[in-house]
Amino acid sequence: MEKIKYLCKNKDEGKRLDVLLIEILKDKSRSYVQDMISSEEVYVNKKIKKQSYKIKENDLIELTLNDPVELLASKQDIPIDILYEDEWLIIINKEQGMVVHPAPGNYDGTVVNAILHHCEDKLSGINGIMRPGIVHRIDKNTSGLIVVAKNDKAHISLSKQFKEHTIKRRYVALVEGVIKDDSGTIDKPIGRDVKQRIKMAICQNGRNAITHFKVLKVYDNYSLIECILETGRTHQIRVHMSSIGHPVVGDDVYGFKKQKFKLNGQLLHAKDLGFYHPEDGRYIEFSSELPKYFKDILCILERNK
């Protein structure tokens, strides 16, 4: 257990609390820091503050870093689609319906449960006992590529690339309606919905969020698009596309109430993932095909044109 006290300097003034803590705790990931603040483990002048709190000179930040604890997530022999693996990382093609890490209501059957069995605990511990190795995540009902860190050095390197937006993430989605422009950029801040806390929403006090999209094909009442994320906010593509009147098909949270197709989730697939390898800095990129249920819907739309 390590107790940390930090007296804020003039150069820190105006920075967000979470941003400053990421600078102070260089070996901890952004999500680790944000979780500490959300769990009310960080005090500023003996008071709890939000992540967005703007630092003032002479603010006193106090927190305690707990010693690593034994993993609580259980190992489970669950089939997972591994596209690549070495001593540093694993690339997984996650199926729709699978949760990335254990959380209330989903303690079993997650990607973490599966990789703990596969890797025999050889995973980064930076994100704690319930999310070992998890650098980023995609929604339960979004399919596609995620990278898992097998050691702390890999985790720190990958987290830094996510923070600096040097990781390439390309998604493919089928959205409602015909998008008139060939491409566009949605730059709208995203935060928790004030009325429904389990949802995200466009809000003035939210975090910066930028999505670039390009129309790949247009059907009678649908558009197939690709999205490049410049930021990585929770539900970003789903919230952004819904905000411009083109929600993702099958999205039961941000989409239309009446859906033409009987789907188990949104037609959103994390197709491409590229980054610099933590070991030697070489650029590597991976790609996965659209799942069968996604291609089946496209075939139906093609026949109906």
Side-chain angles (χ1 to χ4, degrees):
M1 183 179 292
E2 180 185 1
K3 292 188 176 181
I4 293 177
K5 290 186 178 182
Y6 180 84
L7 185 63
C8 298
K9 305 172 180 61
N10 178 262
K11 65 182 180 66
D12 302 321
E13 188 149 352
K15 292 181 180 178
R16 286 172 53 112
L17 175 59
D18 55 353
V19 171
L20 180 59
L21 278 182
I22 291 168
E23 294 176 5
I24 296 170
L25 306 174
K26 293 184 167 59
D27 63 337
K28 302 298 182 185
S29 67
R30 179 179 63 184
S31 56
Y32 178 94
V33 166
Q34 291 172 341
D35 283 349
M36 285 193 72
I37 299 171
S38 300
S39 301
E40 300 187 346
E41 298 173 25
V42 178
Y43 293 84
V44 181
N45 303 325
K46 306 294 182 182
K47 294 181 180 178
I48 299 295
K49 298 291 184 181
K50 295 181 178 179
Q51 298 177 14
S52 58
Y53 171 76
K54 295 296 178 63
I55 295 294
K56 301 178 181 64
E57 186 177 3
N58 294 322
D59 276 348
L60 178 63
I61 299 176
E62 297 177 274
L63 58 104
T64 300
L65 295 179
N66 294 318
D67 296 329
V69 223
E70 185 180 351
L71 293 177
L72 291 183
S74 61
K75 303 175 189 177
Q76 295 178 327
D77 189 2
I78 304 168
I80 46 174
D81 184 9
I82 297 176
L83 298 191
Y84 173 84
E85 180 178 8
D86 59 27
E87 294 180 357
W88 292 75
L89 53 88
I90 307 174
I91 302 296
I92 294 172
N93 188 26
K94 187 187 83 68
E95 65 181 25
Q96 186 185 62
M98 192 175 199
V99 176
V100 171
H101 62 77
N106 288 288
Y107 286 107
D108 298 306
T110 72
V111 171
V112 164
N113 297 117
I115 59 175
L116 280 173
H117 177 273
H118 176 79
C119 295
E120 293 297 329
D121 299 342
K122 294 177 181 176
L123 293 168
S124 157
I126 286 178
N127 260 345
I129 57 178
M130 298 302 277
R131 291 186 284 179
I134 301 303
V135 182
H136 68 125
R137 56 188 171 179
I138 55 179
D139 300 336
K140 173 183 177 181
N141 288 326
T142 296
S143 58
L145 301 180
I146 62 170
V147 57
V148 176
K150 294 177 88 171
N151 57 62
D152 287 359
K153 186 175 180 181
H155 198 135
I156 292 167
S157 171
L158 291 166
S159 292
K160 183 180 179 184
Q161 292 181 60
F162 273 104
K163 180 183 176 183
E164 295 175 349
H165 313 307
T166 57
I167 285 189
K168 175 184 177 182
R169 286 174 291 169
R170 177 176 175 265
Y171 290 73
V172 173
L174 185 69
V175 300
E176 304 276 2
V178 174
I179 299 178
K180 296 180 181 179
D181 297 325
D182 292 336
S183 61
T185 295
I186 306 171
D187 184 351
K188 298 180 181 181
I190 293 176
R192 286 284 170 192
D193 190 301
V194 293
K195 295 181 180 178
Q196 296 175 274
R197 299 300 291 173
I198 61 170
K199 292 179 63 175
M200 307 303 289
I202 304 298
C203 54
Q204 188 175 1
N205 296 325
R207 300 180 66 193
N208 177 48
I210 301 173
T211 303
H212 305 285
F213 69 86
K214 176 183 177 182
V215 177
L216 301 176
K217 197 161 190 176
V218 171
Y219 301 94
D220 286 343
N221 294 302
Y222 302 94
S223 300
L224 183 67
I225 64 171
E226 70 172 23
C227 293
I228 303 292
L229 295 184
E230 192 169 316
T231 55
R233 309 303 174 216
T234 301
H235 302 172
Q236 179 171 316
I237 292 173
R238 298 164 62 192
V239 173
H240 269 172
M241 295 312 300
S242 180
S243 76
I244 63 170
H246 297 285
V248 179
V249 173
D251 191 336
D252 61 359
V253 177
Y254 306 102
F256 293 160
K257 290 183 178 179
K258 290 185 178 180
Q259 296 279 339
K260 179 178 180 180
F261 307 105
K262 293 181 180 180
L263 298 167
N264 294 319
Q266 61 269 3
L267 293 182
L268 178 61
H269 181 69
K271 191 175 189 304
D272 299 313
L273 182 65
F275 53 87
Y276 297 96
H277 197 286
E279 180 184 22
D280 53 19
R282 73 185 186 279
Y283 182 78
I284 52 177
E285 188 170 314
F286 302 90
S287 185
S288 68
E289 288 189 10
L290 293 178
K292 183 179 182 302
Y293 61 83
F294 199 140
K295 291 192 284 189
D296 287 346
I297 298 298
L298 296 183
C299 286
I300 293 172
L301 294 176
E302 194 66 43
R303 288 199 300 268
N304 294 337
K305 283 184 70 175

